[in-house]
Amino acid sequence: MRLSSYFCVALLAGSMPLATQAQDAALIEGTWRTAEQSELTIAPCDVGYCGYITKIVVPDHIAAAYGEDLLALEGSFTDLNNKDPALRDRPIQGLQILTLRPGPDASRFEGDIYNPQDGNVYSGTLDVLGPDNLRLQGCVLYVLCQEQEWQRVHVPEEAESGS
């Protein structure tokens, strides 16, 4: 989208709050690439919007730390750090890690973020920065916070139509 088009969208969004909320909700749907290059898919669910891990990319620093042990897993990662021992065998691929509801303004969503790296659930927000950009922020007690920007993954049209 050209810069001038982005400003037009921003101006229109400010003048149509009800339409904007529906548009922003639709904007979070889709597949997003994280800072570590893994991918999550956000889709409507019974509580609002849910996010699922759809592609796992192990960051270099983790691969280096675990070496041969990581290679032995052959990509079959499980939720080993979950606080509930009964859930530690569930696969990371397809795991729901986001539960979001519309927030106080049209471009913000609030909810819970599950982090499989430490097995904790955090309060968080997801802000729509534009049609292809989101910012996720997770906090412990609203004091210690971390954030990441995600980029939309664009699927070529021929892949969508199956040709």
Side-chain angles (χ1 to χ4, degrees):
M1 179 180 284
R2 286 184 272 169
L3 191 55
S4 60
S5 298
Y6 182 76
F7 286 122
C8 289
V9 170
L11 288 174
L12 287 173
S15 65
M16 299 184 306
L18 295 177
T20 301
Q21 190 165 14
Q23 289 170 345
D24 286 341
L27 280 177
I28 70 168
E29 293 179 40
T31 302
W32 300 89
R33 185 169 293 117
T34 70
E36 290 84 19
Q37 304 303 305
S38 289
E39 294 178 6
L40 284 101
T41 297
I42 299 175
C45 63
D46 60 346
V47 295
Y49 290 89
C50 294
Y52 306 88
I53 297 174
T54 50
K55 179 180 176 185
I56 300 168
V57 174
V58 179
D60 290 341
H61 69 279
I62 292 176
Y66 291 97
E68 293 296 320
D69 291 337
L70 189 64
L71 291 174
L73 293 174
E74 297 178 350
S76 298
F77 303 108
T78 60
D79 195 9
L80 188 61
N81 296 318
N82 197 297
K83 303 301 181 200
D84 182 347
L87 298 177
R88 292 180 183 160
D89 287 335
R90 67 183 179 170
I92 294 291
Q93 185 77 24
L95 183 65
Q96 179 183 332
I97 65 166
L98 295 176
T99 305
L100 302 166
R101 295 164 299 286
D105 66 53
S107 63
R108 174 165 279 198
F109 296 81
E110 298 176 336
D112 296 320
I113 306 165
Y114 174 68
N115 181 355
Q117 289 179 335
D118 64 15
N120 291 315
V121 176
Y122 299 95
S123 297
T125 59
L126 184 132
D127 292 304
V128 176
L129 303 178
D132 293 331
N133 301 83
L134 300 176
R135 179 177 34 240
L136 180 76
Q137 182 178 40
C139 298
V140 177
L141 302 173
Y142 298 102
V143 177
L144 301 172
C145 299
Q146 291 187 342
E147 65 181 43
Q148 260 188 26
E149 286 194 21
W150 295 354
Q151 306 295 313
R152 182 179 299 279
V153 175
H154 289 280
V155 179
E157 287 183 35
E158 55 273 2
E160 289 177 351
S161 64
S163 35

